[in-house]
Amino acid sequence: AVAIDNLAEGQTIYGTVPVEVTASDDEGVTRVELYTDQFLSQALTAPPYSFLLDTTLLVNGNHTVRAVVTDTIQQTASAEVAVVADNIFAPSNFKAVRSINRSLLLREYVNLLTWADNSRNTSVVKYWIYRVSGGSRVLLGEVAKSPTNTTYRWLHRRISTAETYVYEVVGVGALDREGVPATATAR
């Protein structure tokens, strides 16, 4: 007997996901293999049959996770579940450049942040811009995702020319789930 205990049919998964497999046989279990689609991911020869599945190696979309158990007389049984990988990868080409904003009557120093959509993302609805300082992050702004792949621009105004600014831009999906941030520094 074999079962995948902690993944449900149609479940959305992202990042590194634990996969717990229960396997038993009246003759004894010699091996449990974990497959993603048709590819062998990992194998264990002793309980607990706990695997870690790195979904960032998968294309976003539908996949099958299958566990195959082999007993001492080489008989096999399997269980599988269909899941949806939905990772949010870091935005592409993130840059932060200090410049002078001459569009106002008074000169003002700004940091111009630019980035592009990551073509691997399928569920980003917006981007959050953070300033990182002293180990903490402060949310500075939000930009809605364009319906077409594009390059984004955002100005951090009224900055100090004596400071170094570290920024993160992160794609955000449904229910405000953040993805992997991209980082850039303006000096």
Side-chain angles (χ1 to χ4, degrees):
V2 60
I4 299 173
D5 298 327
N6 65 320
L7 296 179
E9 190 73 22
Q11 180 177 341
T12 298
I13 59 175
Y14 50 89
T16 300
V17 177
V19 179
E20 305 295 330
V21 177
T22 303
S24 62
D25 184 84
D26 58 349
E27 300 291 330
V29 172
T30 60
R31 182 176 174 93
V32 174
E33 299 171 331
L34 184 72
Y35 289 82
T36 306
D37 299 323
Q38 305 87 348
F39 304 102
L40 176 63
S41 298
Q42 302 161 55
L44 294 171
T45 57
Y49 303 112
S50 299
F51 301 92
L52 290 176
L53 176 60
D54 183 358
T55 67
T56 63
L57 302 174
L58 304 174
V59 172
N60 281 348
N62 297 322
H63 296 278
T64 301
V65 176
R66 184 168 43 105
V68 177
V69 62
T70 304
D71 68 10
T72 56
I73 58 172
Q74 303 305 304
Q75 293 179 324
T76 63
S78 65
E80 66 182 39
V81 62
V83 295
V84 179
D86 185 22
N87 290 289
I88 300 176
F89 299 96
S92 299
N93 303 320
F94 182 38
K95 294 180 180 87
V97 177
R98 181 163 296 158
S99 64
I100 298 175
N101 183 359
R102 290 188 171 100
S103 64
L104 303 174
L105 294 176
L106 301 173
R107 280 189 353 164
E108 169 188 46
Y109 284 93
V110 297
N111 285 334
L112 172 62
L113 309 182
T114 59
W115 68 93
D117 292 320
N118 186 320
S119 62
R120 295 174 64 192
N121 290 331
T122 57
S123 63
V124 170
V125 295
K126 59 188 169 187
Y127 292 97
W128 284 343
I129 300 105
Y130 289 98
R131 178 169 182 210
V132 180
S133 179
S136 64
R137 298 187 325 168
V138 175
L139 182 63
L140 298 177
E142 176 177 306
V143 175
K145 181 177 180 329
S146 170
T148 59
N149 284 349
T150 189
T151 298
Y152 299 87
R153 294 171 43 98
W154 191 84
L155 288 178
H156 187 193
R157 299 183 63 194
R158 294 184 284 279
I159 63 160
S160 165
T161 58
E163 287 187 57
T164 297
Y165 291 80
V166 178
Y167 298 98
E168 288 182 350
V169 169
V170 62
V172 180
L175 305 175
D176 288 341
R177 180 171 63 90
E178 291 187 36
V180 177
T183 304
T185 302
R187 292 181 169 79

